[in-house]
Amino acid sequence: MSASVEVSTPAFGRPAVSIFSSMALSAEAAPFTPGGGDCSQLDSLSDTEKQFSRCAAKLRALRADSNQLREELNQLFDQLLSENYNRSCELPITIRPEEVCILLKHTSGLVPLNQEHLVVKFCQLVHHLLNQLKVIMDEQTLDVLVNYTANALKQCSTWTHSDVLLALSTVVYGNGSQCHQLVSDLLSEDGVILQYSSPSQPNIELRHVALTCMANICLRIPGQPPLDDHYRSVCFRLFLKTLQSPKPPNTDDLFYCMVIQAALKGLQFCLSGGKWKFGAGEELGSVLAALKRLMFQGAPGLSVDWPEVIYPAPLSQYEGLSPPKPAESPKTVESSTEADKTGKASGKKKRKSKGKGKKTKSEESRVDDREEEDKEGVPEVYRRGGDGSRADGETLPKPSALFLYPSWKMNSSESEFSDLEGNAQSKLRVYQCRVRQLALHCMLAVVKAVEKRTLYGYWSSFIPDSPTGRPPSLTLLTIILKDPSAKVRLCALQVLSAILDGSRQFLAAAEDTASPRTSYTPFSFMLAAAIRELHRGLSLALLAETSSQTLTQVIKCLAFLVANAPYHRLRPGLLSMLWKQIRPYVRHRDVTVRGSVLRLYGAIVTAQAPLPEVQLLLQQPENLGGGSISSSVALQDPALSWRHRNGAPSPARTPAASSQQNSCTHSPHLPHTPREEENASPWLLKLCVSLVTQPREDQSDSEGAGGAAALEPSPVRLEALQVLSHLVRGYFPLAQSSLFEVGQVSIRCLGETDPSIQLHSAKLLEEFGAGIIQQYRAENSVPESLKVPVNQVVVFWSEVLSGPLNAALQNEQHPTLQASACDTLASILPQAFAQLPDKTQLMCITVLLGLTYTENYLVKTAAVRALGVYILFPCLREDVMFVADTANIILAALDDRCTNVRAKAAWSLGNLTDTLIINMQNVGVDFQEELSDMLLLKMLQAATRAAADRDKVKCNAVRALGNLLHFLRHSQITRPVFQCPLEDAVRALVKTVQSEAAMKVRWNACYALGNAFRNSSLPLETAPWSQDAFSALCHVVTSCENFKVRIKSAAALAVPAQRSCYGDTMRFSCVWRSLATALENSEDAVDFLEYRYSASLRHTLSEALLHLLSLSELQDMAELSASLAGEEGRGIKEHLIKYFKEDEGEGKTGEDGEEKNSGEESRHPQQRLGRLQQTLARLTSLKAEEEGGEEEKKAVVHFLEDLLKICEEF
């Protein structure tokens, strides 16, 4: 094996781990295939292993002082190098890695460095064995070979370094972090690798091997530490410098492509598996500029002045296009492609066409490999709807339409990977294709490594805006639509998908519902234009793509776009067009395409649901759901059936039929589906139900269905069930007419053996139950005529609960299914549950109680949560025995070692204590007396312990504490056994209020203290913990950055109904000053997002101040009069005037109803004035014992009178 053969391969080291199977050191290296298979050539295998054993034995027997050492080593090396040990062949190779390591370690001591020919052969042997046998070395072998090759680089002549570096690159593949000294020596300023990999290195072969070695050093195998950041930065800069450097003169194009491939691989290894650490600004811009240029490497017809750096900009940065060249023949264009080092070529190629140019002819794409290679080297751009040719003198009156049309559509063959050795031009195109592919892989690594908000500034360089009269920019869509290689197009779609994924926050600014201003184009309009252009380009790719794998990625990319675009801020029409375009692909032969189409439908029905445009699409009759788009993009007759065919197999088509329709659709001569009734279920719902339940009549799918009718493959059925769930969640009013149909589908799927199908059907039932519950919530105000009648809901759940759901609840082999079945039980409408038969109710309760004892945390979490839902049911919450049983289950779950179980247990405990408060208000003392004191004590102690747990447990534990402190009776509070737990509970709330916990936990703790203050039996005036509680609330109401915490604390301070609860004058004055200060600072927000709560905060603080005034006594007048006088008093008066001017409900917006429980009893302005009048009358009637107190009282009364007079005027 010669050195030139070894280094001429474009790929790198041995795939030690399966995830890197595509990174072989040579073109001959193939993915690892485990041995042990059935082999018909056992004799040949035996000969190979015997040859290795004989040679290995002879090598191990040799000694360094042997007289014939050189000749014997030469002979043995030649014999070992002549064997093929590649594990990809049909013969299983059983040579153990230990034997190879022992052989190489021993041989390294036999080959002196002064025998350079032997050194070269030994290095070739190291590469040959490690690469083909996929040997993972032990540490000792690694150290020996690293030291040997490093010394060879230092002592041997330069002509040997190519083979030495090749062996070293194989040894260090994925082991760079373990070779500290080697890396330090090789990557130092005067290191050998840095010298050989420099762009100034004249030996291109040596440069390629050095870059490959450096890339393998940077590679990180999963589970190993990464390379040191310093050396990674050194490699990164060199790789980038290589990509930016021009091709040296008189350099073979193939070798230069190999150098670029090595640099791209290295850059990808540097970026993979971590965040961007190579600086911002120009560093990132330089990488993006280099990658963008290489994405179009070898693309014919381009003559572009590429920028060296891409800068963040909101507008597209158009590359400078050179003037168009006259048309050339295909041969001339190919010559131009070969001569241009960066893929700059121009010219247009004519072709003959049969039928319309926009149609794919799969038969023609399989003609002759050599002819297809010539075709795909030069993508053509032609008119849509024309004869497929292009005039020589055609200019760019419509640049975008011409530029974006898929020019590879007639040249979709992948023949560039076959029979290339005899055609240098075809081989060059293959290498250039690999460069483009690696550049996109590298771009994908950049997208994953760089923060989203940093990448937003570079969107305009890779995503087009709307078509204009300007020359079209080169973007990812250009590759998706024009690159002749399906693999390159696939990579570009993956990059675009990664860019779109998680971009919802950025795209949320897009809007084009209003006409843009003529003076300038708003950024929101530019974003909207980019979204529309993405829709247009991906729709063209959808129509033109013939590779099933790439087509799947097109649809997935559309799903990412739909999931992140704000369609409620865009002009309608985008989703309607897409809806019609993707409908025929539900019938595609490839199962992955069908599954991705359903996933896209799911994204559409979840996008800002309910969306009016989608609602109209769902309401269209079936024969309009796939209506024609235009003559140029319509795929089928709008009324074609999506299920049935006339018996003709779909793959077999005549050329005429192929010229009229896309290969993924069915024949236009098929019978139409009958028109559905106006009030029928949505077409999409019927489609998904049919895909799940009905057998496929077309059994020509790639999954191998044949003979008897069979259901759709499992991935398609799973996606259909998920679309049903999304549809029910987002558009329940349209789906509710199919209540029993969906129930039958779920029951049928629950009875199947596939646990995935069972799981998704249980989730579908849960979504349907949740939709019914939402209809009956009081805040939704759904008219009775639009609700699903309770009697139908009862029948629905009776059928479900009498079916296979019980088996799913008891399926211990699949705990996820059990957990989902528990969630399904929790989604029963309370009114319907009450009307179920007693035995059915008892079954649900018994099963849930039993599942809380399981060891699986998923099942236990779901069962505890379901009990937390049931405890709020009106038909169950007054049952003391059920309440007690549920409480004991929850108390046991609060001690579980799993955090998720404890979190759901705390949530359920909060619901249970809510039930206690409801029963106390509705049933009265009787319920309180029936509930065991010891059970209450256990709940109080358990909630106190949970309040010291993690935040996800603590937020509901403090809620339960507030309810329990509110529920306790005077007889229980005075019992000694309750004294210490009660104090511990209050101090746990105080500690939580003062802590640095999550804000939700703190405002729940504030609300819990206010809830406890409602219990008139609590000794707030004498208890030692009372002062701590008021101090904590006074502190957070003035100092907490979160306004919702301030609102809750202010509401809690306004809860006590008697003056004595506030303690002495000093505590009362402290509360008043805190509220007054908080009101004065109510607009001082550190976080801008808190401003939305400022109105609600001022409203609550005003209520609290008026509440204190209504309870104040003469001893408080001194503090009140001092506060109400001067500047502070004027500020308080202004806020109180605004409070009295508010309409009913004003000041409560933005809180989702959370602050409406702040203790306010009169929200109407007239009622507020009435309370003010009552407060004024009460204070006026107070008689001071001392003359000084009377003056202070008069000051307060005068303040209120003035306030009342102002308020009465308006």
Side-chain angles (χ1 to χ4, degrees):
M1 181 180 292
S2 65
S4 61
V5 173
E6 290 294 341
V7 298
S8 65
T9 56
F12 313 131
R14 55 191 174 88
V17 179
S18 60
I19 191 173
F20 298 105
S21 58
S22 62
M23 304 170 187
L25 272 172
S26 66
E28 292 79 18
F32 170 74
T33 303
D38 185 17
C39 183
S40 60
Q41 304 179 18
L42 197 57
D43 294 338
S44 299
L45 173 63
S46 177
D47 291 342
T48 301
E49 291 184 327
K50 287 179 180 179
Q51 176 76 344
F52 177 84
S53 299
R54 283 195 299 267
C55 294
K58 291 181 180 179
L59 281 172
R60 288 194 298 268
L62 289 177
R63 294 293 178 266
D65 54 355
S66 174
N67 294 329
Q68 303 295 325
L69 178 64
R70 180 173 179 178
E71 290 75 9
E72 292 180 0
L73 285 176
N74 260 314
Q75 183 179 4
L76 291 173
F77 285 166
D78 289 339
Q79 292 176 1
L80 287 172
L81 288 171
S82 66
E83 297 293 336
N84 182 12
Y85 306 102
N86 200 325
R87 292 190 178 217
S88 66
C89 62
E90 297 179 359
L91 310 177
I93 304 297
T94 59
I95 299 175
R96 295 184 303 165
E98 302 84 44
E99 298 177 3
V100 178
C101 292
I102 293 172
L103 172 67
L104 293 179
K105 283 189 295 184
H106 178 74
T107 308
S108 65
L110 298 176
V111 180
L113 296 178
N114 57 359
Q115 298 289 333
E116 293 185 345
H117 285 86
L118 288 180
V119 171
V120 168
K121 284 195 174 182
F122 174 68
C123 289
Q124 293 176 0
L125 180 64
V126 169
H127 168 70
H128 189 63
L129 293 178
L130 295 182
N131 182 38
Q132 292 198 358
L133 291 174
K134 315 297 186 293
V135 176
I136 299 177
M137 298 172 291
D138 55 64
E139 292 186 7
Q140 184 180 4
T141 305
L142 176 65
D143 292 340
V144 170
L145 294 181
V146 163
N147 291 330
Y148 183 88
T149 51
N151 291 330
L153 288 174
K154 296 177 182 178
Q155 300 181 27
C156 296
S157 302
T158 305
W159 72 270
T160 66
H161 287 185
S162 177
D163 291 284
V164 175
L165 283 174
L166 182 65
L168 181 59
S169 67
T170 313
V171 172
V172 300
Y173 184 89
N175 297 316
S177 59
Q178 303 180 31
C179 308
H180 304 288
Q181 187 58 45
L182 172 73
V183 171
S184 177
D185 293 340
L186 295 180
L187 298 182
S188 60
E189 292 186 1
D190 56 347
V192 176
I193 287 188
L194 285 186
Q195 295 179 7
Y196 287 160
S197 59
S198 173
S200 59
Q201 172 59 235
N203 189 332
I204 195 71
E205 179 181 335
L206 195 58
R207 182 182 172 190
H208 166 247
V209 181
L211 286 170
T212 301
C213 185
M214 186 182 297
N216 290 353
I217 290 175
C218 296
L219 175 64
R220 177 189 178 187
I221 300 296
Q224 292 187 1
L227 186 66
D228 183 79
D229 287 346
H230 169 70
Y231 297 116
R232 200 148 59 114
S233 298
V234 171
C235 297
F236 170 83
R237 289 192 294 270
L238 186 57
F239 292 139
L240 178 58
K241 188 177 180 180
T242 301
L243 298 179
Q244 293 174 327
S245 302
K247 187 184 78 170
N250 302 323
T251 301
D252 183 73
D253 286 338
L254 292 179
F255 272 101
Y256 181 69
C257 283
M258 291 162 53
V259 169
I260 296 300
Q261 290 176 31
L264 286 170
K265 274 291 185 181
L267 192 63
Q268 180 184 355
F269 292 160
C270 287
L271 297 172
S272 299
K275 297 297 182 182
W276 178 271
K277 297 181 178 179
F278 306 105
E282 291 204 358
E283 289 83 359
L284 177 59
S286 300
V287 172
L288 294 177
L291 293 180
K292 184 173 182 179
R293 174 174 58 83
L294 294 172
M295 289 177 195
F296 297 92
Q297 176 80 4
L302 288 182
S303 181
V304 178
D305 296 325
W306 297 99
E308 294 184 0
V309 182
I310 294 178
Y311 295 98
L315 295 174
S316 299
Q317 302 178 36
Y318 294 92
E319 289 77 14
L321 297 176
S322 298
K325 297 180 181 180
E328 301 177 22
S329 65
K331 292 182 179 180
T332 307
V333 174
E334 288 183 6
S335 302
S336 172
T337 304
E338 178 186 6
D340 197 328
K341 65 177 180 296
T342 60
K344 300 176 183 177
S346 63
K348 305 174 181 61
K349 179 181 176 181
K350 295 185 179 181
R351 62 171 179 84
K352 296 182 179 180
S353 173
K354 298 180 181 180
K356 295 185 178 181
K358 64 175 182 176
K359 305 301 179 186
T360 302
K361 299 183 179 180
S362 56
E363 294 83 358
E364 293 181 2
S365 65
R366 295 188 293 267
V367 187
D368 179 55
D369 286 348
R370 193 63 56 89
E371 181 179 346
E372 290 299 321
E373 290 163 5
D374 295 338
K375 282 185 180 181
E376 86 180 358
V378 185
E380 59 269 35
V381 180
Y382 47 87
R383 300 177 185 267
R384 294 195 321 189
D387 60 355
S389 63
R390 180 169 171 84
D392 290 347
E394 187 171 322
T395 56
L396 293 174
K398 297 179 180 179
S400 298
L402 293 171
F403 190 75
L404 282 178
Y405 196 83
S407 59
W408 47 266
K409 192 172 178 181
M410 295 298 297
N411 311 314
S412 58
S413 172
E414 290 298 323
S415 60
E416 70 260 27
F417 294 104
S418 61
D419 194 26
L420 302 176
E421 290 77 6
N423 191 328
Q425 296 304 317
S426 297
K427 191 171 184 179
L428 175 60
R429 287 197 295 270
V430 171
Y431 275 53
Q432 291 172 339
C433 174
R434 289 175 181 170
V435 168
R436 299 196 300 272
Q437 190 173 348
L438 286 173
L440 288 165
H441 280 311
C442 204
M443 181 67 189
L444 183 62
V446 172
V447 172
K448 293 180 178 180
V450 178
E451 290 187 4
K452 287 288 184 182
R453 61 179 58 191
T454 303
L455 202 62
Y456 291 153
Y458 299 93
W459 268 48
S460 58
S461 297
F462 298 94
I463 295 179
D465 54 13
S466 61
T468 61
R470 294 172 297 183
S473 59
L474 300 177
T475 63
L476 290 170
L477 274 185
T478 312
I479 302 172
I480 294 169
L481 293 170
K482 295 181 70 65
D483 198 287
S485 170
K487 292 184 178 180
V488 176
R489 301 195 299 270
L490 177 66
C491 292
L493 286 163
Q494 290 173 340
V495 174
L496 182 56
S497 299
I499 292 176
L500 292 173
D501 187 19
S503 62
R504 182 177 304 173
Q505 184 178 5
F506 175 64
L507 294 179
E511 184 174 13
D512 66 352
T513 53
S515 299
R517 299 183 180 183
T518 56
S519 58
Y520 71 97
T521 303
F523 179 68
S524 59
F525 193 83
M526 290 191 293
L527 271 183
I531 293 174
R532 292 188 175 277
E533 189 66 6
L534 283 172
H535 266 277
R536 192 176 77 90
L538 291 175
S539 296
L540 286 173
L542 182 70
L543 296 173
E545 189 59 67
T546 55
S547 167
S548 295
Q549 188 178 7
T550 311
L551 179 62
T552 301
Q553 192 61 45
V554 172
I555 301 172
K556 288 181 178 179
C557 191
L558 280 167
F560 279 113
L561 175 60
V562 170
N564 290 278
Y567 293 99
H568 61 293
R569 296 167 58 91
L570 303 177
R571 285 181 283 110
L574 290 177
L575 292 178
S576 300
M577 180 73 71
L578 185 60
W579 182 278
K580 297 170 185 177
Q581 283 180 313
I582 63 175
R583 178 174 176 178
Y585 292 92
V586 177
R587 294 288 303 156
H588 199 278
R589 298 191 210 94
D590 192 273
V591 61
T592 58
V593 174
R594 299 202 299 272
S596 61
V597 168
L598 290 172
R599 193 173 305 132
L600 177 52
Y601 271 123
I604 292 176
V605 296
T606 54
Q608 297 95 46
L611 203 62
E613 181 180 358
V614 177
Q615 195 163 359
L616 290 174
L617 291 171
L618 291 170
Q619 289 175 324
Q620 288 181 355
E622 180 179 349
N623 61 336
L624 296 179
S628 63
I629 304 159
S630 69
S631 60
S632 61
V633 294
L635 289 178
Q636 65 171 33
D637 189 309
L640 285 181
S641 167
W642 51 269
R643 291 293 296 176
H644 303 289
R645 299 203 176 194
N646 59 1
S650 59
R653 287 194 178 86
T654 62
S658 298
S659 66
Q660 294 176 2
Q661 64 178 29
N662 190 285
S663 62
C664 68
T665 64
H666 43 295
S667 172
H669 304 291
L670 299 176
H672 292 195
T673 306
R675 180 180 296 273
E676 299 292 334
E677 298 179 2
E678 292 183 2
N679 296 327
S681 303
W683 168 81
L684 184 59
L685 188 145
K686 292 189 294 183
L687 166 67
C688 294
V689 169
S690 183
L691 289 174
V692 172
T693 59
Q694 296 182 12
R696 282 185 58 85
E697 295 187 6
D698 174 16
Q699 300 298 327
S700 61
D701 291 285
S702 59
E703 61 269 15
L711 294 174
E712 286 279 356
S714 181
V716 175
R717 301 181 69 209
L718 290 176
E719 291 294 343
L721 286 171
Q722 288 190 18
V723 173
L724 282 175
S725 297
H726 297 323
L727 186 61
V728 169
R729 184 190 306 126
Y731 299 88
F732 184 79
L734 299 179
Q736 69 182 55
S737 61
S738 305
L739 174 67
F740 294 105
E741 187 177 8
V742 172
Q744 290 299 321
V745 171
S746 302
I747 291 172
R748 171 175 175 171
C749 292
L750 279 172
E752 297 187 15
T753 57
D754 188 346
S756 298
I757 297 291
Q758 292 176 307
L759 175 64
H760 284 81
S761 61
K763 290 185 178 296
L764 175 58
L765 284 174
E766 179 190 353
E767 291 293 347
F768 224 111
I772 296 174
I773 292 175
Q774 286 295 327
Q775 279 193 337
Y776 279 83
R777 291 192 186 277
E779 60 267 21
N780 289 335
S781 303
V782 179
E784 288 294 330
S785 60
L786 299 181
K787 295 179 181 178
V788 180
V790 176
N791 60 338
Q792 292 187 16
V793 181
V794 173
V795 175
F796 173 78
W797 284 114
S798 298
E799 293 182 359
V800 171
L801 294 174
S802 61
L805 184 62
N806 292 336
L809 287 166
Q810 301 173 27
N811 192 341
E812 297 181 357
Q813 286 76 24
H814 300 286
T816 307
L817 176 60
Q818 279 184 293
S820 184
C822 290
D823 294 335
T824 303
L825 287 183
S827 63
I828 301 176
L829 182 70
Q831 295 90 320
F833 186 88
Q835 298 183 24
L836 290 173
D838 292 342
K839 64 176 183 180
T840 305
Q841 295 185 23
L842 183 61
M843 181 272 295
C844 295
I845 296 171
T846 304
V847 169
L848 291 176
L849 290 173
L851 288 177
T852 58
Y853 292 98
T854 186
E855 292 297 325
N856 188 276
Y857 78 95
L858 290 175
V859 181
K860 184 182 292 186
T861 301
V864 170
R865 176 192 171 274
L867 288 174
V869 173
Y870 278 22
I871 200 65
L872 294 174
F873 284 8
C875 61
L876 295 177
R877 67 190 179 200
E878 296 180 8
D879 186 344
V880 178
M881 293 302 298
F882 176 70
V883 172
D885 291 341
T886 304
N888 287 318
I889 292 293
I890 292 172
L891 292 177
L894 279 173
D895 293 329
D896 195 272
R897 64 178 182 272
C898 177
T899 304
N900 290 335
V901 174
R902 298 197 305 274
K904 288 301 179 185
W907 179 82
S908 297
L909 182 61
N911 286 2
L912 189 147
T913 55
D914 287 342
T915 294
L916 298 183
I917 300 301
I918 295 173
N919 289 337
M920 180 183 70
Q921 296 170 351
N922 297 341
V923 181
V925 182
D926 293 341
F927 182 85
Q928 289 179 283
E929 292 177 348
E930 289 185 39
L931 200 62
S932 168
D933 287 358
M934 295 309 298
L935 181 59
L936 276 175
L937 181 62
K938 289 181 180 178
M939 287 193 287
L940 189 65
Q941 293 172 333
T944 303
R945 291 193 299 271
D949 206 329
R950 297 185 181 182
D951 283 352
K952 62 193 305 185
V953 181
K954 190 184 301 184
C955 63
N956 285 296
V958 295
R959 177 166 70 98
L961 280 178
N963 285 331
L964 289 170
L965 292 173
H966 184 191
F967 183 79
L968 291 176
R969 291 175 290 134
H970 180 74
S971 59
Q972 295 167 332
I973 293 174
T974 55
R975 289 183 59 184
V977 70
F978 276 89
Q979 295 294 319
C980 186
L982 190 150
E983 181 175 353
D984 292 341
V986 176
R987 295 197 182 280
L989 293 177
V990 171
K991 183 179 179 181
T992 305
V993 169
Q994 296 174 331
S995 68
E996 296 297 328
M999 293 305 172
K1000 181 179 180 180
V1001 177
R1002 297 181 69 184
W1003 77 59
N1004 274 1
C1006 293
Y1007 182 83
L1009 281 176
N1011 202 3
F1013 289 169
R1014 300 179 192 277
N1015 191 341
S1016 58
S1017 300
L1018 286 179
L1020 292 180
E1021 63 275 10
T1022 60
W1025 43 261
S1026 179
Q1027 177 62 35
D1028 295 337
F1030 279 103
S1031 298
L1033 292 173
C1034 290
H1035 175 71
V1036 296
V1037 80
T1038 58
S1039 62
C1040 185
E1041 295 180 358
N1042 187 277
F1043 276 17
K1044 294 182 74 173
V1045 176
R1046 294 195 197 185
I1047 292 169
K1048 293 294 186 181
S1049 58
L1053 289 171
V1055 166
Q1058 298 178 1
R1059 170 62 183 82
S1060 59
C1061 295
Y1062 288 96
D1064 56 15
T1065 305
M1066 183 177 296
R1067 186 193 297 176
F1068 185 88
S1069 301
C1070 178
V1071 174
W1072 174 269
R1073 287 195 303 270
S1074 299
L1075 293 172
T1077 304
L1079 185 60
E1080 181 182 357
N1081 301 328
S1082 58
E1083 296 183 356
D1084 299 339
V1086 177
D1087 188 353
F1088 178 77
L1089 296 177
E1090 298 299 324
Y1091 277 112
R1092 55 181 171 170
Y1093 302 118
S1094 59
S1096 183
L1097 174 60
R1098 290 191 294 272
H1099 182 96
T1100 307
L1101 290 170
S1102 300
E1103 286 179 0
L1105 289 173
L1106 290 173
H1107 178 72
L1108 290 183
L1109 283 172
S1110 67
L1111 299 180
S1112 60
E1113 298 292 345
L1114 285 174
Q1115 64 268 24
D1116 307 317
M1117 293 298 118
E1119 177 64 29
L1120 294 178
S1121 61
S1123 175
L1124 295 176
E1127 188 66 30
E1128 185 180 14
R1130 284 191 292 271
I1132 293 175
K1133 182 182 293 185
E1134 290 178 2
H1135 287 294
L1136 291 179
I1137 291 173
K1138 293 178 182 178
Y1139 166 74
F1140 284 111
K1141 285 182 178 180
E1142 290 176 357
D1143 294 331
E1144 185 174 355
E1146 190 176 348
K1148 297 286 186 174
T1149 56
E1151 294 301 308
D1152 299 326
E1154 293 178 353
E1155 272 63 59
K1156 293 183 180 180
N1157 297 323
S1158 59
E1160 181 187 10
E1161 298 176 358
S1162 54
R1163 288 181 248 177
H1164 194 275
Q1166 294 298 329
Q1167 292 176 322
R1168 298 174 199 162
L1169 286 177
R1171 291 182 59 190
L1172 178 59
Q1173 292 170 349
Q1174 293 174 7
T1175 300
L1176 180 58
R1178 192 188 71 82
L1179 292 182
T1180 304
S1181 63
L1182 293 178
K1183 294 184 179 180
E1185 298 178 357
E1186 302 178 359
E1187 185 176 351
E1190 185 67 26
E1191 293 296 328
E1192 295 162 346
K1193 186 197 76 171
K1194 288 181 179 180
V1196 176
V1197 170
H1198 177 72
F1199 176 87
L1200 294 178
E1201 289 175 343
D1202 190 31
L1203 177 63
L1204 181 60
K1205 181 180 178 181
I1206 295 174
C1207 294
E1208 286 178 343
E1209 289 179 355
F1210 57 81

